[in-house]
């Protein structure tokens, strides 16, 4: 299937990885926003989100792609902390 030559279930695992990252992001970013305020964690999460999303485009295989999809999930909650 596609560029990675893998099964659809492996590609679906990238979505699971992103959702798990969001779950862990609530714990990590919530604690960071309590300690440092909302601005610094937001800026950090935006930078890491952009870099990891850009890296996903150049992932050489599906395993690296799944790992890289975890990071935007964590960073996504930094935006939720800021706007809530």
């Amino acid at each position: 299937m596609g560029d990675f030559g893998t099964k659809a279930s492996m590609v679906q695992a990238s979505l699971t990885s992103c959702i798990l990252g969001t779950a862990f992001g609530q714990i990590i970013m919530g604690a960071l926003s309590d300690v440092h305020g909302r601005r610094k964690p937001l800026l950090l999460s935006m930078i890491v989100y952009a870099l990891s999303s850009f890296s996903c485009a150049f992932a050489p295989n599906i395993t690296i792609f799944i790992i890289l999809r975890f990071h935007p999930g964590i960073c996504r909650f930094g935006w939720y902390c800021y706007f809530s």
Side-chain angles (χ1 to χ4, degrees):
M1 173 176 185
D3 294 334
F4 291 127
T6 187
K7 297 179 184 176
S9 61
M10 288 298 291
V11 177
Q12 290 171 354
S14 71
L15 180 61
T16 303
S17 176
C18 190
I19 291 171
L20 285 174
T22 303
F24 286 116
Q26 293 178 11
I27 298 167
I28 295 168
M29 299 306 281
L32 283 176
S33 67
D34 287 342
V35 173
H36 299 288
R38 291 183 178 181
R39 187 172 188 272
K40 288 180 184 177
L42 173 68
L43 294 175
L44 177 67
S45 66
M46 286 173 50
I47 292 168
V48 174
Y49 184 88
L51 291 175
S52 59
S53 295
F54 182 75
S55 299
C56 284
F58 298 104
N61 58 39
I62 191 67
T63 306
I64 301 296
F65 182 72
I66 292 171
I67 292 168
L68 289 173
R69 287 280 292 164
F70 183 77
H71 296 104
I74 290 176
C75 296
R76 184 175 299 127
F77 199 77
W79 300 349
Y80 296 149
C81 285
Y82 186 77
F83 293 111
S84 63

